[in-house]
Amino acid sequence: MKRPALWFFVSLAAGIAAVKIGIIFAVFIVFISFAIGAVLAKKKTHAAFIIPVAAVAGTLLMGAFLYGQKDVSNITAIKGVVKDAEIMYSKRQTLTVDTSEVFKNGAFEKDNIIFKVYTNPGVYVKRNDTCIFSGNVQEGYSNIGGIMFANKIYYCGHNKGGLFEIIYKLRDKISDSADRLFPENEAGTIKALVTGKTVFINPSTKQLYSAAGISHILAVSGLHTALIAAMFLFVLKLLKINARKRTVFLMAFLVLYGIFIGGRAPCIRAIIMLETVLFGQLIYKRNDGINSLAFAGMLILLFQPYELFQAGFQLSFMSVFSLFILGKLFKPINGFWGNIFDIVLASLFITVFTFPILAYHFYGFSVYGFITNLLVIPSAGFLVGFAMLSCIGGIISYAVGMFFAGPAYFILKCMEYACDFVSTLPYNIVQTGKLPIMFIAFYYLGLMTPVMIRNVRKQAIFIAADIFAVFCVLFSNRLIFKENTYYFLSERKGQSEIISSYDGHVYIIGGREYNSRTDYAGKTSDFLLSMGKTKADAVFVTDSEKCDFILNLMNHIKIGTIIMPYNCDDDDVSAIEYKANENGAKVIKAVCAKKAKLGGGIEVTCLYPTGNETDKTGHAVYMIKDKDFDFIDITSADENEAKLIEAVPEDKCKATVVKNKDNVKNRLVFDGSDDIKMRGDKTWVLPQ
């Protein structure tokens, strides 16, 4: 069987993804895998065994991960060992704590959970310290069981860390060396390139590199791993060590380097691939690149199944995979100009293959990123080399460190100037929104057609069918179904109601009142970006408490019209009008019982307040009427306003199914703990 690791990896990933989508889909995937296995069994191929086993393993691993998550809502304190400690750019310390006990229900209980703990500025804890942390706890993510913002820390002792502590102390010394040799802003970038810790990077630097389409340079990945391995191999050659011993030393060095950079997934992928190639050299076996890539992915997913859904994992694997596809379709061209052409083609392939992933996770992509990569990647090797030499040299002698720090600083500033130039070009960033999964599937199916199908005529037919499918996914609703979509965002996303009409218009109702700790307007604007929108055609204000939300929202997105009810305070109205005048937005008063026609055939009617200038109480009530249904939007109904709800006929109400719901007389009362997406359903929704 050719490339068994690839078959196993694909089946394993399918099983993991199926569980994330839903248990029914997971059962379907397992059934299909066994059906494929039964068909292949007749051909007496090993895939008959590999495919179903991998699919079942994926469903079990992801199922155990999802349903094995522990409830941390009742935890107020934890006791554990600090496994990793970093000082962020904001001067806060972020800790990775492996707990031995948790405090809940009035007592400590033995429990092992990985926590990410954030300390207050100026409060620092050492690695391998045993401490008790108390503070606010939130649910975790990926392999992090919980997140705590610690208010109090009690020191309990220190543990010896062995080899890991020695490696981490070396990393700390390298970080301190970078702080001495470089200015603060550049030191953060250098430390990220050398140690793999991106928390030191200035947020403005991250934004600059992201706008230029080369943010991957800042994160230690396969490129950095390959450069470090090449440098180490060069040193071994200078020492005149024979080939087999060089291979053994390099394999051991890569393991230590993986520990040094904290086990980042892109580096682990590159290390596993290199280890596979080097092991093949030791036993005199040829290596298949795609099979090695799949083997690396298989090992990562077996230990951390949730990595499949991380942008870094997807981007690193797809980038390397695109280069293998390039090698199959084109042969390298010799000579100087041939090498230039190969670099351009490689950059183009990486851009084309990673575009859907960038658009899905970051809602857009850099148009000029392809060109920026051509300028920056060749110099990245020199930058990493000089950065590493300067930081290590700085530990030995300040003069030695400065000798290598000069070229590193020069290259870094040149890269920043290039990024700054590209980010100012017109149409640099295209906001695509979060691409549909079906679009991504058909996109990659079309890209793989020349590899899977050799017949030119069949290729043309298959690609034409694929383009038609993509067109249907993107435009079927706008041209055929014409259904408007309603989003009711949870508190963590801004607690707004967003209406997206089928003809491309966007409207916002309400929002979360001002909070100094959380930018709710920014979260709402991020959600709009995920829809591919940078402008709201209209915003409906519900009460004075939401005026600060609207003022902040105008700092993030463009707004066409702001509709304000009569119950808003005069000072808030004046502030809105002043800000709207600066941003070119129009402000109008919502007239009671008068209908406003929106895009997509939607009608909005203000039911309360009635327009009495002396009535400054309560919250605005809007009735939204669509072609198939209508509902009343109430942000916080009081007793008098609730009478409007009681007047609605019962037979027009149908509650939709969401988590944490309360049904009151067949109406859904939204408690703000989950997102609701309503599309084409006859639903009456009352946000509480």
Side-chain angles (χ1 to χ4, degrees), residues 506-510 535-544 546-555 557-566 568 572-591 596 598 604 622:
V506 174
Y507 308 95
I508 302 174
I509 301 176
K535 176 184 177 181
D537 293 273
V539 175
F540 292 84
V541 184
T542 55
D543 59 87
S544 287
K546 308 301 186 298
C547 287
D548 285 333
F549 172 85
I550 304 301
L551 288 170
N552 195 13
L553 190 63
M554 282 190 278
N555 294 327
I557 62 171
K558 293 182 179 179
I559 299 175
T561 305
I562 301 173
I563 296 92
M564 301 191 68
Y566 283 95
C568 289
D572 293 323
V573 173
S574 299
I576 292 286
E577 289 177 340
Y578 180 80
K579 186 77 172 182
N581 185 53
E582 286 185 338
N583 291 269
K586 183 169 64 173
V587 179
I588 62 175
K589 289 290 183 70
V591 180
L598 310 182
V604 177
Y622 297 101

Short mmCIF file of all heavy atoms in Angstrom, two decimals, residues 506-510 535-544 546-555 557-566 568 572-591 596 598 604 622:
data_model
loop_
_atom_site.label_atom_id
_atom_site.label_comp_id
_atom_site.label_asym_id
_atom_site.label_seq_id
_atom_site.Cartn_x
_atom_site.Cartn_y
_atom_site.Cartn_z
N VAL A 506 -26.45 45.11 6.22
CA VAL A 506 -26.24 44.68 7.61
C VAL A 506 -26.81 45.73 8.55
O VAL A 506 -26.58 46.94 8.37
CB VAL A 506 -24.74 44.48 7.91
CG1 VAL A 506 -24.53 44.17 9.39
CG2 VAL A 506 -24.17 43.35 7.09
N TYR A 507 -27.55 45.26 9.57
CA TYR A 507 -28.16 46.14 10.55
C TYR A 507 -27.87 45.60 11.95
O TYR A 507 -27.84 44.39 12.16
CB TYR A 507 -29.67 46.25 10.33
CG TYR A 507 -30.03 46.61 8.91
CD1 TYR A 507 -30.34 45.61 7.99
CD2 TYR A 507 -30.03 47.93 8.49
CE1 TYR A 507 -30.66 45.93 6.68
CE2 TYR A 507 -30.34 48.26 7.17
CZ TYR A 507 -30.65 47.25 6.27
OH TYR A 507 -30.95 47.57 4.98
N ILE A 508 -27.66 46.51 12.91
CA ILE A 508 -27.35 46.14 14.29
C ILE A 508 -28.40 46.73 15.21
O ILE A 508 -28.77 47.91 15.08
CB ILE A 508 -25.95 46.64 14.71
CG1 ILE A 508 -24.88 46.08 13.77
CG2 ILE A 508 -25.64 46.26 16.16
CD1 ILE A 508 -23.49 46.63 14.04
N ILE A 509 -28.88 45.92 16.16
CA ILE A 509 -29.84 46.38 17.16
C ILE A 509 -29.24 46.18 18.55
O ILE A 509 -28.73 45.10 18.87
CB ILE A 509 -31.17 45.61 17.06
CG1 ILE A 509 -31.79 45.79 15.67
CG2 ILE A 509 -32.15 46.08 18.14
CD1 ILE A 509 -33.04 44.99 15.46
N GLY A 510 -29.29 47.22 19.37
CA GLY A 510 -28.85 47.09 20.76
C GLY A 510 -27.36 46.98 20.90
O GLY A 510 -26.58 47.56 20.14
N LYS A 535 -18.93 47.57 7.33
CA LYS A 535 -19.86 48.69 7.48
C LYS A 535 -21.23 48.16 7.87
O LYS A 535 -21.66 47.11 7.39
CB LYS A 535 -19.95 49.49 6.18
CG LYS A 535 -20.97 50.63 6.24
CD LYS A 535 -21.12 51.33 4.90
CE LYS A 535 -22.21 52.41 4.97
NZ LYS A 535 -22.39 53.10 3.67
N ALA A 536 -21.90 48.88 8.76
CA ALA A 536 -23.29 48.59 9.11
C ALA A 536 -24.16 49.66 8.47
O ALA A 536 -23.91 50.86 8.64
CB ALA A 536 -23.48 48.57 10.62
N ASP A 537 -25.16 49.23 7.73
CA ASP A 537 -26.02 50.21 7.05
C ASP A 537 -26.81 51.04 8.06
O ASP A 537 -27.06 52.22 7.83
CB ASP A 537 -26.97 49.48 6.10
CG ASP A 537 -26.23 48.84 4.95
OD1 ASP A 537 -26.01 49.51 3.94
OD2 ASP A 537 -25.84 47.67 5.08
N ALA A 538 -27.22 50.42 9.18
CA ALA A 538 -27.95 51.15 10.20
C ALA A 538 -27.76 50.47 11.55
O ALA A 538 -27.58 49.26 11.63
CB ALA A 538 -29.43 51.23 9.86
N VAL A 539 -27.81 51.29 12.61
CA VAL A 539 -27.74 50.79 13.98
C VAL A 539 -28.94 51.33 14.73
O VAL A 539 -29.20 52.55 14.73
CB VAL A 539 -26.44 51.23 14.67
CG1 VAL A 539 -26.44 50.79 16.13
CG2 VAL A 539 -25.23 50.65 13.96
N PHE A 540 -29.69 50.45 15.39
CA PHE A 540 -30.86 50.83 16.17
C PHE A 540 -30.47 50.89 17.64
O PHE A 540 -30.14 49.87 18.25
CB PHE A 540 -32.00 49.82 15.97
CG PHE A 540 -32.57 49.83 14.59
CD1 PHE A 540 -31.96 49.10 13.57
CD2 PHE A 540 -33.70 50.56 14.28
CE1 PHE A 540 -32.48 49.10 12.29
CE2 PHE A 540 -34.23 50.57 13.00
CZ PHE A 540 -33.61 49.84 11.99
N VAL A 541 -30.50 52.10 18.21
CA VAL A 541 -30.19 52.27 19.63
C VAL A 541 -31.42 51.92 20.44
O VAL A 541 -32.55 52.24 20.04
CB VAL A 541 -29.75 53.72 19.92
CG1 VAL A 541 -29.33 53.89 21.37
CG2 VAL A 541 -28.60 54.11 19.00
N THR A 542 -31.23 51.26 21.60
CA THR A 542 -32.37 50.83 22.41
C THR A 542 -32.55 51.67 23.67
O THR A 542 -33.67 51.80 24.16
CB THR A 542 -32.22 49.36 22.80
OG1 THR A 542 -30.96 49.17 23.45
CG2 THR A 542 -32.28 48.47 21.57
N ASP A 543 -31.48 52.23 24.23
CA ASP A 543 -31.59 53.07 25.43
C ASP A 543 -30.27 53.78 25.65
O ASP A 543 -29.27 53.52 24.97
CB ASP A 543 -31.97 52.23 26.65
CG ASP A 543 -30.96 51.13 26.92
OD1 ASP A 543 -29.98 51.40 27.62
OD2 ASP A 543 -31.15 50.01 26.40
N SER A 544 -30.25 54.68 26.63
CA SER A 544 -29.07 55.51 26.88
C SER A 544 -27.85 54.68 27.28
O SER A 544 -26.72 55.06 26.99
CB SER A 544 -29.37 56.54 27.98
OG SER A 544 -30.22 57.56 27.48
N LYS A 546 -26.80 52.09 26.04
CA LYS A 546 -26.12 51.54 24.86
C LYS A 546 -25.43 52.61 24.04
O LYS A 546 -24.79 52.30 23.03
CB LYS A 546 -27.14 50.80 23.97
CG LYS A 546 -27.98 49.76 24.70
CD LYS A 546 -27.14 48.69 25.34
CE LYS A 546 -27.99 47.58 25.94
NZ LYS A 546 -28.89 48.02 27.01
N CYS A 547 -25.53 53.88 24.43
CA CYS A 547 -24.93 54.96 23.64
C CYS A 547 -23.41 54.86 23.63
O CYS A 547 -22.77 55.13 22.61
CB CYS A 547 -25.39 56.32 24.18
SG CYS A 547 -27.12 56.69 23.79
N ASP A 548 -22.82 54.50 24.78
CA ASP A 548 -21.36 54.32 24.81
C ASP A 548 -20.94 53.21 23.87
O ASP A 548 -19.87 53.27 23.24
CB ASP A 548 -20.91 54.00 26.24
CG ASP A 548 -20.94 55.23 27.14
OD1 ASP A 548 -20.79 56.33 26.59
OD2 ASP A 548 -21.11 55.08 28.36
N PHE A 549 -21.77 52.16 23.78
CA PHE A 549 -21.49 51.06 22.84
C PHE A 549 -21.45 51.58 21.41
O PHE A 549 -20.55 51.24 20.63
CB PHE A 549 -22.56 49.98 23.00
CG PHE A 549 -22.49 48.88 21.98
CD1 PHE A 549 -21.65 47.79 22.17
CD2 PHE A 549 -23.26 48.93 20.82
CE1 PHE A 549 -21.58 46.78 21.22
CE2 PHE A 549 -23.19 47.93 19.88
CZ PHE A 549 -22.35 46.85 20.08
N ILE A 550 -22.42 52.43 21.06
CA ILE A 550 -22.48 52.96 19.69
C ILE A 550 -21.30 53.89 19.42
O ILE A 550 -20.69 53.85 18.33
CB ILE A 550 -23.82 53.72 19.47
CG1 ILE A 550 -25.01 52.80 19.78
CG2 ILE A 550 -23.90 54.24 18.05
CD1 ILE A 550 -25.06 51.55 18.94
N LEU A 551 -20.95 54.71 20.41
CA LEU A 551 -19.80 55.61 20.24
C LEU A 551 -18.52 54.82 19.99
O LEU A 551 -17.70 55.18 19.13
CB LEU A 551 -19.64 56.49 21.48
CG LEU A 551 -20.69 57.59 21.68
CD1 LEU A 551 -20.55 58.21 23.06
CD2 LEU A 551 -20.57 58.65 20.60
N ASN A 552 -18.33 53.74 20.75
CA ASN A 552 -17.15 52.90 20.58
C ASN A 552 -17.21 52.14 19.26
O ASN A 552 -16.19 51.91 18.60
CB ASN A 552 -17.02 51.93 21.75
CG ASN A 552 -15.65 51.29 21.81
OD1 ASN A 552 -14.71 51.72 21.15
ND2 ASN A 552 -15.53 50.25 22.61
N LEU A 553 -18.42 51.74 18.87
CA LEU A 553 -18.57 50.98 17.62
C LEU A 553 -18.12 51.81 16.42
O LEU A 553 -17.57 51.28 15.45
CB LEU A 553 -20.04 50.55 17.46
CG LEU A 553 -20.35 49.57 16.33
CD1 LEU A 553 -19.65 48.23 16.57
CD2 LEU A 553 -21.86 49.35 16.22
N MET A 554 -18.34 53.12 16.47
CA MET A 554 -17.93 53.99 15.36
C MET A 554 -16.42 54.09 15.25
O MET A 554 -15.90 54.56 14.22
CB MET A 554 -18.57 55.37 15.53
CG MET A 554 -20.03 55.41 15.12
SD MET A 554 -20.71 57.09 15.03
CE MET A 554 -21.09 57.38 16.75
N ASN A 555 -15.68 53.68 16.29
CA ASN A 555 -14.22 53.63 16.20
C ASN A 555 -13.74 52.40 15.44
O ASN A 555 -12.58 52.35 15.03
CB ASN A 555 -13.61 53.62 17.60
CG ASN A 555 -13.85 54.90 18.37
OD1 ASN A 555 -13.92 55.98 17.77
ND2 ASN A 555 -14.01 54.81 19.68
N ILE A 557 -15.98 50.43 12.99
CA ILE A 557 -16.60 50.23 11.68
C ILE A 557 -17.30 51.51 11.23
O ILE A 557 -17.53 52.43 12.02
CB ILE A 557 -17.64 49.07 11.71
CG1 ILE A 557 -18.77 49.41 12.67
CG2 ILE A 557 -16.98 47.75 12.07
CD1 ILE A 557 -19.93 48.46 12.61
N LYS A 558 -17.64 51.54 9.95
CA LYS A 558 -18.43 52.64 9.41
C LYS A 558 -19.91 52.35 9.62
O LYS A 558 -20.35 51.21 9.49
CB LYS A 558 -18.13 52.82 7.92
CG LYS A 558 -16.71 53.31 7.62
CD LYS A 558 -16.51 53.51 6.12
CE LYS A 558 -15.10 54.02 5.83
NZ LYS A 558 -14.88 54.20 4.38
N ILE A 559 -20.66 53.39 9.92
CA ILE A 559 -22.10 53.25 10.14
C ILE A 559 -22.81 54.25 9.23
O ILE A 559 -22.45 55.42 9.17
CB ILE A 559 -22.48 53.50 11.61
CG1 ILE A 559 -21.79 52.48 12.52
CG2 ILE A 559 -23.99 53.45 11.80
CD1 ILE A 559 -22.02 52.72 13.99
N GLY A 560 -23.83 53.77 8.52
CA GLY A 560 -24.58 54.64 7.62
C GLY A 560 -25.57 55.53 8.35
O GLY A 560 -25.53 56.76 8.25
N THR A 561 -26.47 54.91 9.13
CA THR A 561 -27.53 55.64 9.83
C THR A 561 -27.66 55.12 11.25
O THR A 561 -27.57 53.92 11.49
CB THR A 561 -28.88 55.48 9.11
OG1 THR A 561 -28.73 55.89 7.75
CG2 THR A 561 -29.96 56.32 9.77
N ILE A 562 -27.87 56.04 12.20
CA ILE A 562 -28.11 55.68 13.60
C ILE A 562 -29.53 56.07 13.96
O ILE A 562 -29.89 57.25 13.87
CB ILE A 562 -27.10 56.37 14.54
CG1 ILE A 562 -25.67 55.98 14.15
CG2 ILE A 562 -27.38 56.00 16.00
CD1 ILE A 562 -24.61 56.75 14.91
N ILE A 563 -30.35 55.11 14.36
CA ILE A 563 -31.74 55.35 14.71
C ILE A 563 -31.84 55.38 16.23
O ILE A 563 -31.55 54.39 16.90
CB ILE A 563 -32.69 54.28 14.13
CG1 ILE A 563 -32.66 54.33 12.61
CG2 ILE A 563 -34.10 54.49 14.64
CD1 ILE A 563 -31.67 53.42 11.96
N MET A 564 -32.24 56.52 16.79
CA MET A 564 -32.29 56.69 18.24
C MET A 564 -33.73 56.91 18.70
O MET A 564 -34.46 57.71 18.11
CB MET A 564 -31.43 57.88 18.67
CG MET A 564 -29.97 57.75 18.28
SD MET A 564 -28.93 58.98 19.08
CE MET A 564 -29.03 58.46 20.79
N PRO A 565 -34.16 56.22 19.76
CA PRO A 565 -35.51 56.43 20.30
C PRO A 565 -35.57 57.71 21.14
O PRO A 565 -34.54 58.28 21.50
CB PRO A 565 -35.74 55.19 21.16
CG PRO A 565 -34.36 54.79 21.59
CD PRO A 565 -33.45 55.15 20.46
N TYR A 566 -36.78 58.13 21.50
CA TYR A 566 -36.95 59.36 22.25
C TYR A 566 -36.56 59.21 23.73
O TYR A 566 -36.44 60.20 24.43
CB TYR A 566 -38.42 59.82 22.16
CG TYR A 566 -38.74 60.48 20.86
CD1 TYR A 566 -39.30 59.75 19.82
CD2 TYR A 566 -38.49 61.83 20.65
CE1 TYR A 566 -39.60 60.34 18.61
CE2 TYR A 566 -38.79 62.44 19.44
CZ TYR A 566 -39.34 61.69 18.42
OH TYR A 566 -39.63 62.29 17.22
N CYS A 568 -33.76 58.35 25.03
CA CYS A 568 -32.34 58.56 25.31
C CYS A 568 -32.11 59.96 25.90
O CYS A 568 -32.79 60.93 25.54
CB CYS A 568 -31.52 58.42 24.03
SG CYS A 568 -31.40 56.72 23.43
N ASP A 572 -26.52 62.14 25.79
CA ASP A 572 -26.12 60.99 24.97
C ASP A 572 -26.43 61.23 23.51
O ASP A 572 -25.64 60.89 22.62
CB ASP A 572 -26.85 59.73 25.46
CG ASP A 572 -26.40 59.30 26.84
OD1 ASP A 572 -25.20 59.44 27.13
OD2 ASP A 572 -27.24 58.82 27.62
N VAL A 573 -27.58 61.86 23.25
CA VAL A 573 -27.95 62.17 21.86
C VAL A 573 -26.95 63.14 21.25
O VAL A 573 -26.51 62.97 20.10
CB VAL A 573 -29.38 62.75 21.81
CG1 VAL A 573 -29.71 63.23 20.39
CG2 VAL A 573 -30.40 61.71 22.26
N SER A 574 -26.55 64.14 22.02
CA SER A 574 -25.58 65.13 21.52
C SER A 574 -24.23 64.47 21.22
O SER A 574 -23.59 64.78 20.21
CB SER A 574 -25.39 66.25 22.55
OG SER A 574 -26.61 66.92 22.78
N ALA A 575 -23.80 63.56 22.11
CA ALA A 575 -22.52 62.87 21.89
C ALA A 575 -22.57 62.01 20.64
O ALA A 575 -21.61 61.97 19.85
CB ALA A 575 -22.18 62.01 23.11
N ILE A 576 -23.69 61.32 20.44
CA ILE A 576 -23.85 60.48 19.25
C ILE A 576 -23.84 61.34 17.99
O ILE A 576 -23.18 61.01 16.99
CB ILE A 576 -25.16 59.67 19.33
CG1 ILE A 576 -25.08 58.62 20.45
CG2 ILE A 576 -25.48 59.01 17.99
CD1 ILE A 576 -24.23 57.43 20.15
N GLU A 577 -24.56 62.46 18.02
CA GLU A 577 -24.65 63.33 16.84
C GLU A 577 -23.29 63.92 16.49
O GLU A 577 -22.94 64.03 15.31
CB GLU A 577 -25.67 64.45 17.10
CG GLU A 577 -27.11 63.95 17.12
CD GLU A 577 -28.09 65.06 17.44
OE1 GLU A 577 -27.65 66.10 18.01
OE2 GLU A 577 -29.29 64.90 17.16
N TYR A 578 -22.51 64.29 17.52
CA TYR A 578 -21.18 64.87 17.27
C TYR A 578 -20.25 63.84 16.62
O TYR A 578 -19.57 64.12 15.64
CB TYR A 578 -20.59 65.37 18.59
CG TYR A 578 -19.22 65.98 18.45
CD1 TYR A 578 -19.06 67.29 17.99
CD2 TYR A 578 -18.08 65.24 18.77
CE1 TYR A 578 -17.79 67.85 17.86
CE2 TYR A 578 -16.81 65.79 18.63
CZ TYR A 578 -16.68 67.09 18.18
OH TYR A 578 -15.42 67.63 18.05
N LYS A 579 -20.24 62.63 17.20
CA LYS A 579 -19.39 61.56 16.66
C LYS A 579 -19.84 61.14 15.27
O LYS A 579 -19.02 60.89 14.38
CB LYS A 579 -19.42 60.35 17.61
CG LYS A 579 -18.47 59.23 17.24
CD LYS A 579 -17.05 59.53 17.62
CE LYS A 579 -16.15 58.33 17.44
NZ LYS A 579 -14.76 58.59 17.84
N ALA A 580 -21.16 61.07 15.07
CA ALA A 580 -21.69 60.68 13.77
C ALA A 580 -21.34 61.69 12.70
O ALA A 580 -21.04 61.34 11.55
CB ALA A 580 -23.21 60.51 13.86
N ASN A 581 -21.36 62.99 13.06
CA ASN A 581 -20.99 64.04 12.11
C ASN A 581 -19.55 63.90 11.67
O ASN A 581 -19.21 64.12 10.50
CB ASN A 581 -21.24 65.40 12.75
CG ASN A 581 -20.99 66.54 11.77
OD1 ASN A 581 -21.56 66.57 10.68
ND2 ASN A 581 -20.13 67.48 12.16
N GLU A 582 -18.64 63.51 12.61
CA GLU A 582 -17.24 63.30 12.27
C GLU A 582 -17.05 62.12 11.33
O GLU A 582 -16.15 62.13 10.48
CB GLU A 582 -16.42 63.05 13.54
CG GLU A 582 -16.18 64.28 14.39
CD GLU A 582 -15.26 63.98 15.56
OE1 GLU A 582 -15.15 62.79 15.94
OE2 GLU A 582 -14.63 64.92 16.08
N ASN A 583 -17.89 61.09 11.48
CA ASN A 583 -17.74 59.85 10.70
C ASN A 583 -18.67 59.78 9.49
O ASN A 583 -18.71 58.74 8.83
CB ASN A 583 -17.99 58.64 11.60
CG ASN A 583 -16.90 58.44 12.63
OD1 ASN A 583 -15.93 57.74 12.40
ND2 ASN A 583 -17.06 59.07 13.79
N GLY A 584 -19.40 60.84 9.22
CA GLY A 584 -20.27 60.85 8.05
C GLY A 584 -21.52 60.02 8.19
O GLY A 584 -22.11 59.59 7.18
N ALA A 585 -21.97 59.75 9.43
CA ALA A 585 -23.19 58.98 9.66
C ALA A 585 -24.36 59.92 9.89
O ALA A 585 -24.20 61.05 10.33
CB ALA A 585 -23.01 58.05 10.86
N LYS A 586 -25.56 59.45 9.59
CA LYS A 586 -26.77 60.23 9.76
C LYS A 586 -27.51 59.75 11.01
O LYS A 586 -27.59 58.55 11.26
CB LYS A 586 -27.66 60.10 8.52
CG LYS A 586 -28.92 60.94 8.57
CD LYS A 586 -29.62 60.96 7.21
CE LYS A 586 -30.11 59.59 6.83
NZ LYS A 586 -30.93 59.59 5.60
N VAL A 587 -28.05 60.69 11.81
CA VAL A 587 -28.79 60.35 13.02
C VAL A 587 -30.24 60.77 12.85
O VAL A 587 -30.53 61.92 12.50
CB VAL A 587 -28.19 61.05 14.26
CG1 VAL A 587 -28.99 60.70 15.50
CG2 VAL A 587 -26.73 60.66 14.43
N ILE A 588 -31.17 59.83 13.10
CA ILE A 588 -32.60 60.14 13.02
C ILE A 588 -33.30 59.58 14.25
O ILE A 588 -32.80 58.66 14.90
CB ILE A 588 -33.24 59.57 11.73
CG1 ILE A 588 -33.13 58.04 11.72
CG2 ILE A 588 -32.63 60.17 10.49
CD1 ILE A 588 -33.86 57.42 10.53
N LYS A 589 -34.46 60.14 14.58
CA LYS A 589 -35.25 59.67 15.70
C LYS A 589 -36.24 58.61 15.23
O LYS A 589 -36.83 58.72 14.14
CB LYS A 589 -36.02 60.84 16.34
CG LYS A 589 -35.12 61.81 17.10
CD LYS A 589 -34.59 61.18 18.36
CE LYS A 589 -33.76 62.16 19.17
NZ LYS A 589 -34.55 63.24 19.78
N ALA A 590 -36.40 57.57 16.05
CA ALA A 590 -37.35 56.49 15.74
C ALA A 590 -38.76 56.97 16.07
O ALA A 590 -39.07 57.28 17.22
CB ALA A 590 -37.01 55.24 16.53
N VAL A 591 -39.62 57.05 15.07
CA VAL A 591 -40.99 57.51 15.26
C VAL A 591 -41.89 56.31 15.54
O VAL A 591 -41.88 55.33 14.80
CB VAL A 591 -41.49 58.27 14.02
CG1 VAL A 591 -42.92 58.75 14.22
CG2 VAL A 591 -40.57 59.44 13.71
N ALA A 596 -40.03 51.27 8.96
CA ALA A 596 -38.81 51.56 8.21
C ALA A 596 -38.48 50.34 7.35
O ALA A 596 -38.40 49.23 7.86
CB ALA A 596 -37.66 51.87 9.15
N LEU A 598 -36.08 48.04 5.29
CA LEU A 598 -34.66 47.72 5.19
C LEU A 598 -34.42 46.85 3.96
O LEU A 598 -35.35 46.53 3.22
CB LEU A 598 -34.20 46.98 6.46
CG LEU A 598 -34.56 47.62 7.80
CD1 LEU A 598 -34.00 46.78 8.94
CD2 LEU A 598 -34.05 49.05 7.89
N VAL A 604 -39.06 47.32 9.89
CA VAL A 604 -38.86 47.53 11.32
C VAL A 604 -39.80 48.62 11.79
O VAL A 604 -39.88 49.70 11.18
CB VAL A 604 -37.40 47.93 11.63
CG1 VAL A 604 -37.23 48.22 13.11
CG2 VAL A 604 -36.44 46.82 11.22
N TYR A 622 -38.64 47.20 19.23
CA TYR A 622 -38.76 47.20 17.78
C TYR A 622 -39.42 45.90 17.32
O TYR A 622 -39.08 44.82 17.81
CB TYR A 622 -37.38 47.32 17.12
CG TYR A 622 -36.65 48.60 17.40
CD1 TYR A 622 -35.64 48.64 18.35
CD2 TYR A 622 -36.96 49.77 16.72
CE1 TYR A 622 -34.94 49.81 18.63
CE2 TYR A 622 -36.28 50.95 16.99
CZ TYR A 622 -35.27 50.96 17.93
OH TYR A 622 -34.60 52.12 18.20
#
